[in-house]
């Protein structure tokens, strides 16, 4: 039975869990079953609410306990912090999940925990809850379990039977930085459990080929997260790692979390006035290019461009570096090339290649389809000799990239760039 | 007669207007008549709408299920599943000014000589408009799956009240039946004043007659406190607490919040109620 004290515990444990970015309920379709509660819808999942910070609330994201024996410098829950600590009982947590779910507040549970006693002891408790939810409460909704770094193969394989998704957070891309900030962790403690999950999924796939009734195993794959701006890693370091991760089967999402100075007293960490939100956003855009726009990571970052351009999005940045790739002929060039035009997204690219089988596509059509012509017009031709209103078409090669660039910034962006300069100036002073 | 009005008369083609009863069967019957009489109306209006000034002839459509069925059968050979859904779903937008575009879309589907279905030609203004309307309706249906909140009554029944711009309730009811197959619930559209009651077996459409006292406040969706289950308040408080606690205050972004969760839906959402 829940009481008023549960409210306080939930508050503490949600605040401790909130720095984990992932909240997604994506990646698996499972319809309802008689005698069970819930289904999962696949696609991008369902966000049930949006918090005041604009982030999606899909799952009940909570820690079982925020007591932790480790002392990771970037984490609010590190043992040397003097914060309120709490632990939810197994039955309390299970009741909250079920009652929230039945009221359509959530898609399911995203459970993590501070490390108590040892990794396996902690992991075991997380697995217990997932198992109870499935077998006792007949819960058929979404479960995301965070694997405790250093947890054993055996426990991860058990967890995988009940979870839809699992995650192990890398947090810091380079091992030397990680060891500096989280002395109890190393890359092995992260990549090994990732490997166990992958193994489990692949074995499960194999089994399905030969056997009839195979229990499901982490059907929505795994995800991970990297903190941005707490350590000197460049965007190149980060994106190379992301790209390598995406090349492994089962890795579905890499999240980026702009570092928030939670432990300002620790001199190993930078003191940031604000989390690096623009940089974080650019990393997500680059990640998007890797996953949906068929970009290779080397096209986005390289020896010279080790960090993403903060002023323009990575797709536009690439286009400005590659005038020789343009103009793209909307009526002739293939889908892949159309997808690379700044201002054209996946949806409009598909509409273009579909519609041009009926008739020639003009800039009028493009506008109607939702193409951002303000950007796209410098990179395309539609076979129109002149643009009705603005005279002969002038593209990136006539204007030259360096003069085109300022034309593509909105006044708001220009102001932001100025503010940023101002801000970095403050830092220097 | 002045030169310009003379010209007007020369150019004037007789204007034909169809009127129908604003049902999908009526719209399909209109398509039937249009092909039967080999004529293309200049507009499709709902019976009772103001008739344009220069209208020469009005044809009032009699909704006929035989006609609409024949048209639909024909369409099944011309459009894919999505192409057909564009018709049924964009109609739920209840935006009357879209009716003519939908009518033209259907006519074009029949006249299309191309092997490729017309629904893929987004350079056609009617196809594009209907597709965009369809997307908007689907999007709102998704939003209702996101934002609907249930409260539990003492007898165990759950109540969720919504107020969507479009008539999306028929599109979401299956989702909730599938998800909550072991709980009885009522989902009520406060704007259109009808709902579906699910009794763990089937969902049936219900309406309340004028003057009947409702067990909830139509303006906020809140269940009357005398029938609210004893612990529902506790779970509402837990949820509100969670909603506040999960926000990172260094990242406040009310603009994104309102973009993803428009304010007009807030009054029915537990976490946004006082
Ligand atoms: S192990 Fe996890 S909870 Fe504990 S201090 Fe490190 S990051 Fe925080």
């Amino acid at each position: 039975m829940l009481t008023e004290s549960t409210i306080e515990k939930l508050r503490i444990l949600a605040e401790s869990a909130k720095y984990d970015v992932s909240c997604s309920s994506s990646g698996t379709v499972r319809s309802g079953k008689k005698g069970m509660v819930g289904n999962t819808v696949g696609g991008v999942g369902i966000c049930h609410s949006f918090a005041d910070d604009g982030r999606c609330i899909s799952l009940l994201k909570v820690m079982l306990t925020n007591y932790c024996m480790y002392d990771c410098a970037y984490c609010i829950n590190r043992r040397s912090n003097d914060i309120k600590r709490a632990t939810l009982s197994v039955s309390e947590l299970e009741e909250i999940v079920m009652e929230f779910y039945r009221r359509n507040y959530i898609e399911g549970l995203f459970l993590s925990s501070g490390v108590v006693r040892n990794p396996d002891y902690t992991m075991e408790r997380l697995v217990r809850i997932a198992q109870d939810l499935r077998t006792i409460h007949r819960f058929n909704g979404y479960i995301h379990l965070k694997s405790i770094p250093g947890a054993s193969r055996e426990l991860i394989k058990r967890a995988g039977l009940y979870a839809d998704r699992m995650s192990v957070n890398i947090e810091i891309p380079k091992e030397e930085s990680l060891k500096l900030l989280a002395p109890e962790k190393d890359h092995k403690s992260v990549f090994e459990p990732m490997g166990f999950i992958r193994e489990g999924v692949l074995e499960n796939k194999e089994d399905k080929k030969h056997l009839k009734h195979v229990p499901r195993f982490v059907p929505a794959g795994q995800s991970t997260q990297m903190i941005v701006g707490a350590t000197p890693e460049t965007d190149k370091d980060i994106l190379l790692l992301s790209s390598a991760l995406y090349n492994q089967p089962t890795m579905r999402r890499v999240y980026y979390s702009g570092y928030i100075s939670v432990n300002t007293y620790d001199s190993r960490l930078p003191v940031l006035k604000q989390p690096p939100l623009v940089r974080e956003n650019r990393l997500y855009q680059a990640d998007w290019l890797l996953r949906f726009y068929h970009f290779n990571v080397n096209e986005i970052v390289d020896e010279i461009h080790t960090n993403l351009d903060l002023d323009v999005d990575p797709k536009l940045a690439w286009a400005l570096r590659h005038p020789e790739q343009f103009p793209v002929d909307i009526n002739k060039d293939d889908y892949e090339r159309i997808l690379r035009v700044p201002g054209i997204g996946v949806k409009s690219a598909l509409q273009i290649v579909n519609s041009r089988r009926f008739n020639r596509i003009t800039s009028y059509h493009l506008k109607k389809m939702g193409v951002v012509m303000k950007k796209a017009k410098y990179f395309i031709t539609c076979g129109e000799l002149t643009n009705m209103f603005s005279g002969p078409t002038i593209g990136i090669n006539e204007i030259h990239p360096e003069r085109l660039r300022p034309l593509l910034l909105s006044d708001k962006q220009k102001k932001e760039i100025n503010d940023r300069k101002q801000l970095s100036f403050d830092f220097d002073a | 007669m002045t030169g310009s009005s003379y010209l007007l008369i020369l150019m004037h083609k007789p204007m034909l207007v169809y009127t129908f009863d604003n049902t999908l069967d009526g719209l399909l019957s209109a398509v039937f008549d249009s092909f039967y009489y080999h004529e293309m109306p200049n507009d499709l209006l709902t019976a009772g709408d103001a008739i344009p000034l220069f209208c020469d002839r009005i044809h009032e459509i009699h909704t006929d299920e035989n006609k609409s069925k024949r048209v639909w059968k024909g369409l099944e050979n011309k459009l894919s599943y999505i192409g057909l859904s564009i018709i049924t779903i964009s109609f739920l937008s209840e935006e009357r000014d879209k009716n003519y575009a939908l009518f033209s879309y259907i006519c074009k589907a029949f006249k299309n000589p191309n092997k490729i279905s017309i629904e893929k030609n987004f350079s056609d203004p009617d196809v594009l408009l209907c597709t965009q309307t369809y997307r908007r309706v689907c999007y709102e249906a998704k939003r209702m799956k996101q934002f609907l909140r249930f409260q539990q009554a003492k007898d165990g029944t759950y109540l969720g009240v919504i107020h969507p711009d479009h008539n999306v309730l028929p599109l979401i009811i299956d989702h909730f039946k599938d998800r909550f197959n072991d709980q009885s619930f009522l989902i009520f559209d406060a704007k259109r004043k009808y709902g579906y009651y699910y009794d763990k077996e089937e969902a049936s459409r219900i309406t309340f007659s004028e003057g009947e006292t409702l067990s909830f406040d139509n303006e906020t969706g809140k269940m009357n406190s005398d029938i609210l289950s004893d612990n529902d308040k506790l779970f509402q408080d837990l949820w509100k607490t969670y909603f506040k606690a999960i926000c990172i205050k260094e990242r406040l972004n009310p603009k994104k919040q309102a973009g993803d969760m428009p304010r007009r839906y807030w009054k029915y959402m537990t976490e946004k109620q006082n």
Side-chain angles (χ1 to χ4, degrees):
Chain A
M1 191 58 203
L2 305 185
T3 59
E4 290 292 319
S5 75
T6 315
I7 296 186
E8 179 61 5
K9 285 197 218 169
L10 184 67
R11 190 186 62 73
I12 294 169
L13 292 167
E15 281 189 0
S16 279
K18 70 183 175 191
Y19 298 99
D20 226 298
V21 181
S22 166
C23 195
S24 150
S25 55
S26 64
T28 180
V29 184
R30 188 165 60 240
S31 47
K33 281 194 201 98
K34 266 271 170 263
M36 297 196 79
V37 190
N39 60 11
T40 62
V41 298
V44 291
I46 294 180
C47 289
H48 282 283
S49 195
F50 289 85
D52 293 343
D53 56 14
R55 297 189 308 159
C56 149
I57 302 176
S58 180
L59 305 172
L60 172 69
K61 179 159 50 182
V62 70
M63 294 182 101
L64 186 58
T65 179
N66 65 345
Y67 285 98
C68 187
M69 54 189 241
Y70 287 177
D71 206 32
C72 309
Y74 44 80
C75 176
I76 182 104
N77 304 310
R78 58 188 292 191
R79 66 162 184 268
S80 44
N81 273 0
D82 180 24
I83 55 164
K84 281 195 184 165
R85 307 274 172 177
T87 304
L88 279 168
S89 77
V90 169
S91 64
E92 266 175 321
L93 180 64
E94 289 169 2
E95 189 175 350
I96 298 174
V97 172
M98 294 312 293
E99 295 293 332
F100 274 17
Y101 192 81
R102 286 189 178 282
R103 285 167 176 75
N104 208 40
Y105 297 166
I106 53 170
E107 281 299 284
L109 173 66
F110 175 10
L111 186 61
S112 62
S113 177
V115 186
V116 249
R117 279 208 223 167
N118 59 55
D120 270 357
Y121 176 83
T122 313
M123 191 68 203
E124 157 85 47
R125 297 210 299 174
L126 300 188
V127 177
R128 254 279 304 287
I129 289 173
Q131 182 174 359
D132 277 5
L133 282 171
R134 295 285 192 225
T135 55
I136 299 173
H137 300 277
R138 313 294 295 159
F139 179 63
N140 195 32
Y142 202 92
I143 298 180
H144 179 158
L145 281 188
K146 204 161 140 189
S147 166
I148 304 298
S152 69
R153 172 190 261 120
E154 191 252 324
L155 275 170
I156 287 182
K157 296 251 160 116
R158 255 183 63 205
L161 298 175
Y162 309 109
D164 287 290
R165 171 164 286 176
M166 293 187 66
S167 60
V168 194
N169 284 356
I170 295 172
E171 306 291 18
I172 308 291
K174 284 195 166 165
E175 186 164 32
E176 67 255 31
S177 312
L178 178 69
K179 280 184 164 162
L180 179 71
L181 297 180
E184 288 99 346
K185 291 182 183 170
D186 55 20
H187 266 178
K188 181 167 168 266
S189 66
V190 174
F191 290 112
E192 209 172 59
M194 263 185 197
F196 297 152
I197 300 169
R198 189 169 61 240
E199 246 175 60
V201 174
L202 296 179
E203 279 169 19
N204 185 255
K205 254 198 192 143
E206 225 9 72
D207 288 349
K208 276 191 189 140
K209 285 187 197 151
H210 311 296
L211 304 168
K212 239 190 170 167
H213 295 289
V214 183
R216 58 167 187 261
F217 190 94
V218 202
Q222 51 181 327
S223 65
T224 188
Q225 160 175 309
M226 288 186 251
I227 297 176
V228 177
T231 48
E233 277 87 338
T234 60
D235 293 339
K236 181 172 163 242
D237 298 326
I238 296 171
L239 288 169
L240 279 177
L241 183 51
S242 301
S243 155
L245 289 167
Y246 283 133
N247 282 331
Q248 296 180 350
T250 78
M251 180 55 70
R252 298 287 176 83
R253 279 303 298 274
V254 177
Y255 292 94
Y256 309 93
S257 168
Y259 175 64
I260 297 164
S261 303
V262 281
N263 303 324
T264 40
Y265 61 85
D266 195 317
S267 59
R268 287 170 293 173
L269 290 161
V271 178
L272 308 178
K273 273 193 185 164
Q274 273 181 330
L277 295 180
V278 180
R279 184 177 174 201
E280 179 194 286
N281 182 36
R282 294 288 178 240
L283 281 165
Y284 276 114
Q285 290 172 323
D287 187 271
W288 207 255
L289 294 182
L290 291 176
R291 291 187 299 139
F292 302 113
Y293 286 79
H294 312 266
F295 271 77
N296 187 298
V297 66
N298 302 315
E299 296 176 290
I300 305 170
V301 279
D302 56 36
E303 289 309 322
I304 306 162
H305 307 93
T306 50
N307 281 310
L308 297 171
D309 193 329
L310 293 182
D311 304 340
V312 296
D313 69 76
K315 189 174 161 192
L316 181 55
W318 174 84
L320 289 171
R321 293 205 295 270
H322 291 280
E324 80 287 352
Q325 298 284 334
F326 299 99
V328 165
D329 187 332
I330 291 298
N331 284 295
K332 286 205 192 80
D333 283 325
D334 58 20
Y335 174 73
E336 299 282 318
R337 291 201 61 201
I338 292 176
L339 207 50
R340 295 221 163 194
V341 175
I344 296 185
V346 173
K347 198 180 84 195
S348 15
L350 281 170
Q351 289 194 338
I352 291 166
V353 292
N354 268 314
S355 308
R356 68 186 185 185
R357 295 177 299 177
F358 294 85
N359 39 252
R360 285 194 78 74
I361 303 300
T362 65
S363 52
Y364 173 79
H365 296 131
L366 293 178
K367 213 180 195 145
K368 284 273 170 194
M369 289 178 198
V371 170
V372 186
M373 287 302 276
K374 265 200 305 206
K375 271 191 203 172
K377 68 176 177 192
Y378 300 105
F379 301 94
I380 55 170
T381 89
C382 323
E384 291 161 301
L385 283 178
T386 55
N387 184 321
M388 267 235 286
F389 305 106
S390 59
T393 326
I394 300 175
I396 180 170
N397 289 301
E398 288 76 29
I399 304 182
H400 299 298
E402 59 283 8
R403 269 189 288 150
L404 177 55
R405 189 185 157 96
L407 294 180
L408 291 169
L409 299 175
S410 66
D411 288 347
K412 192 171 146 255
Q413 268 176 314
K414 281 182 199 148
K415 193 180 160 291
E416 278 168 9
I417 293 166
N418 249 323
D419 290 353
R420 255 203 310 279
K421 285 199 185 114
Q422 206 71 41
L423 202 70
S424 56
F425 184 72
D426 283 350
F427 271 126
D428 298 341
Chain B
M1 187 174 283
T2 65
S4 64
S5 59
Y6 183 66
L7 219 102
L8 245 175
I9 287 178
L10 275 183
M11 289 171 58
H12 182 72
K13 278 201 247 148
M15 184 172 180
L16 170 63
V17 168
Y18 277 13
T19 62
F20 80 126
D21 60 356
N22 209 23
T23 63
L24 190 54
D25 279 323
L27 193 134
L28 295 171
S29 305
V31 173
F32 185 93
D33 282 13
S34 156
F35 277 89
Y36 188 80
Y37 296 114
H38 299 286
E39 61 186 18
M40 188 64 188
N42 303 74
D43 207 347
L44 176 68
L45 299 176
T46 303
D49 282 353
I51 301 296
L53 206 54
F54 295 108
C55 178
D56 298 281
R57 187 157 68 82
I58 299 170
H59 173 59
E60 192 186 319
I61 301 296
H62 294 285
T63 300
D64 177 344
E65 263 193 44
N66 287 324
K67 290 180 184 174
S68 65
K69 272 201 189 117
R70 277 180 64 187
V71 171
W72 192 257
K73 269 238 125 23
L75 278 174
E76 284 176 340
N77 297 323
K78 290 286 184 182
L79 297 171
S80 74
Y81 176 73
I82 300 267
L84 294 169
S85 305
I86 286 176
I87 299 173
T88 49
I89 291 177
S90 69
F91 191 72
L92 293 175
S93 75
E94 296 185 336
E95 290 164 341
R96 290 176 172 199
D97 56 331
K98 306 280 154 57
N99 284 341
Y100 187 64
L102 190 53
F103 174 85
S104 312
Y105 169 81
I106 298 173
C107 294
K108 281 177 184 168
F110 280 114
K111 289 178 187 154
N112 175 28
N114 212 318
K115 275 215 173 57
I116 316 162
S117 161
I118 182 86
E119 76 207 49
K120 296 268 196 258
N121 186 3
F122 302 100
S123 62
D124 181 296
D126 294 320
V127 175
L128 190 65
L129 188 71
C130 292
T131 308
Q132 283 166 346
T133 312
Y134 156 83
R135 286 214 178 107
R136 261 190 302 118
V137 176
C138 289
Y139 195 42
E140 198 183 36
K142 186 179 169 203
R143 281 184 155 155
M144 290 303 112
K145 292 180 195 170
Q146 297 177 276
F147 304 143
L148 176 138
R149 298 287 176 263
F150 279 127
Q151 305 148 72
Q152 193 191 29
K154 283 202 170 76
D155 71 355
T157 309
Y158 290 80
L159 167 75
V161 181
I162 55 174
H163 194 279
D165 300 335
H166 311 298
N167 184 17
V168 298
L169 185 48
L171 298 177
I172 62 173
I173 193 71
D174 284 344
H175 166 78
F176 286 104
K177 269 167 61 185
D178 185 57
R179 172 163 291 198
F180 301 114
N181 66 70
D182 72 339
Q183 72 191 50
S184 51
F185 59 77
L186 167 65
I187 299 179
F188 194 76
D189 180 334
K191 188 171 176 186
R192 292 164 191 81
K193 304 265 180 352
Y194 81 99
Y196 280 95
Y197 175 70
Y198 172 72
D199 63 1
K200 303 186 199 177
E201 295 291 334
E202 267 171 86
S204 37
R205 194 187 149 104
I206 59 156
T207 51
F208 294 103
S209 44
E210 207 57 53
E212 202 171 338
T213 37
L214 300 177
S215 52
F216 56 89
D217 179 347
N218 204 57
E219 286 306 306
T220 61
K222 279 191 190 172
M223 196 185 276
N224 298 348
S225 51
D226 54 327
I227 63 157
L228 191 71
S229 81
D230 293 333
N231 62 8
D232 205 84
K233 178 77 175 49
L234 175 66
F235 288 112
Q236 291 188 26
D237 288 344
L238 268 169
W239 173 237
K240 286 180 188 172
T241 305
Y242 176 76
F243 180 79
K244 284 203 196 88
I246 206 67
C247 162
I248 298 181
K249 56 184 185 317
E250 290 87 344
R251 302 182 58 124
L252 283 187
N253 195 344
K255 226 172 124 187
K256 180 168 184 303
Q257 180 188 38
D260 288 326
M261 186 168 83
R263 278 171 192 280
R264 62 182 182 281
Y265 302 129
W266 289 9
K267 60 179 179 168
Y268 292 96
M269 296 175 66
T270 312
E271 62 270 36
K272 283 291 177 189
Q273 289 168 341
N274 318 318

